[in-house]
């Protein structure tokens, strides 16, 4: 509805928002396993399962979970005795329907290769590098959002 601000040159302002779309029941599970092949080598795998049941919904809306029914990740990490680490992992998400307001469609499946590493610069400083989507597999994860590509983040952590 209208919002009146004393002294404002505009007589009123409007705020528009989505209404409550309804009620749902969600169920899911995440399972992860790490296998340490040695003090230096670790394998990891995890999987997520998600189910969604509409209890009630607004008559003019589409209720979708906006997530795939499952997704899987796996990777390997090398931990060097000198203190640095390197890892490579893959994430797979199958296609799924997506809807929010005027944005509706199917998110196409995608598989990402991710790289990460850390290096002790000094006794009190560590450099971390994380490269998500290293192969630059451009994809959407929501409609109305950005086309996602490679992203690299370098972080310096100082411990006092």
């Amino acid at each position: 509805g209208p919002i009146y601000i004393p002294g404002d040159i505009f007589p009123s302002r409007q705020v528009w928002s989505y209404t409550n779309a309804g009620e749902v029941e969600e169920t899911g599970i995440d399972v992860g396993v790490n296998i340490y092949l040695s003090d230096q080598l670790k394998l990891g795998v995890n999987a997520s399962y998600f189910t969604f049941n509409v209890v009630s919904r607004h008559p003019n809306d589409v209720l979708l979970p906006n997530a795939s029914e499952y997704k899987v990740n796996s990777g390997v990490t090398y931990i060097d005795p000198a203190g640095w680490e390197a890892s490579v992992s893959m994430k797979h998400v199958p296609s799924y329907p997506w809807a929010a307001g005027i944005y509706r469609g199917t998110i196409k499946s995608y598989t990402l290769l991710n790289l990460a590493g850390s290096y002790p610069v000094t006794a009190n400083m560590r450099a971390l590098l994380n490269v998500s989507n290293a192969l630059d597999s451009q994809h959407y994860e929501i409609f109305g959002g950005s086309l996602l590509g490679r992203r690299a983040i370098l972080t310096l952590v100082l411990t006092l």
Side-chain angles (χ1 to χ4, degrees):
I3 297 174
Y4 299 99
I5 302 171
D8 196 338
I9 61 171
F10 297 103
S12 75
R13 298 179 187 266
Q14 300 287 322
V15 175
W16 293 83
S17 178
Y18 295 117
T19 63
N20 187 346
E23 182 181 351
V24 299
E25 294 173 343
E26 299 175 338
T27 304
I29 186 168
D30 294 312
V31 177
V33 175
N34 288 326
I35 301 170
Y36 292 83
L37 300 175
S38 69
D39 289 342
Q40 288 81 34
L41 199 57
K42 176 179 72 171
L43 299 177
V45 63
N46 63 62
S48 298
Y49 173 77
F50 179 76
T51 184
F52 177 87
N53 182 44
V54 176
V55 175
S56 66
R57 70 173 183 85
H58 188 280
N60 295 328
D61 206 346
V62 174
L63 280 180
L64 294 173
N66 292 344
S68 64
E69 185 176 17
Y70 73 90
K71 58 183 100 171
V72 293
N73 298 286
S74 63
V76 62
T77 301
Y78 176 76
I79 305 162
D80 190 86
W84 61 270
E85 296 182 19
S87 67
V88 59
S89 64
M90 290 195 90
K91 174 183 182 178
H92 175 72
V93 178
S95 65
Y96 56 94
W98 199 95
I102 62 171
Y103 300 105
R104 295 182 183 163
T106 299
I107 302 293
K108 294 179 183 176
S109 73
Y110 56 91
T111 301
L112 305 178
L113 177 73
N114 301 310
L115 306 173
S118 69
Y119 183 79
V121 179
T122 68
N124 296 41
M125 184 182 297
R126 179 171 282 279
L128 309 170
L129 177 63
N130 187 324
V131 181
S132 300
N133 191 6
L135 299 179
D136 199 25
S137 173
Q138 296 196 359
H139 65 286
Y140 289 98
E141 293 182 12
I142 66 170
F143 281 104
S146 299
L147 180 63
L148 302 175
R150 180 184 307 116
R151 181 182 71 168
I153 298 174
L154 178 63
T155 305
L156 293 176
V157 177
L158 180 62
T159 304
L160 301 176

